[in-house]
Amino acid sequence: MTTAAAASVIDAARCPLCGASNRCAMEIERETGQAQPPCWCMQADFSNAPLTNLPESLRGLACICARCAAGTPPAQN
């Protein structure tokens, strides 16, 4: 999948790893045009994030959520 094709199917408001809301203030500001406080991700430690689980073609298109950034697996239902 090309980056352009991937961008057309990615929801920038959702984590590309688990599908949960990523609560990205930068994306909210882009969508609404309303200034937002600094995003949570600006202070986050991503060293435990399973970024290798994300295909190269999907990287850099949407923020991952805080849970995935911490390396915490989603709850099993």
Side-chain angles (χ1 to χ4, degrees):
M1 179 180 300
T2 67
T3 301
S8 69
V9 297
I10 289 289
D11 180 350
R14 301 242 161 244
C15 174
L17 290 169
C18 72
S21 172
N22 57 27
R23 300 181 37 86
C24 178
M26 293 179 281
E27 182 61 23
I28 294 168
E29 185 169 325
R30 188 190 67 75
E31 285 182 358
T32 66
Q34 296 179 359
Q36 300 291 309
C39 189
W40 66 269
C41 69
M42 301 309 284
Q43 301 297 319
D45 175 4
F46 288 86
S47 63
N48 292 318
L51 296 176
T52 57
N53 293 348
L54 193 59
E56 278 288 330
S57 63
L58 299 180
R59 294 180 188 181
L61 301 176
C63 295
I64 62 173
C65 68
R67 185 183 64 235
C68 287
T72 306
Q76 298 296 319
N77 294 334

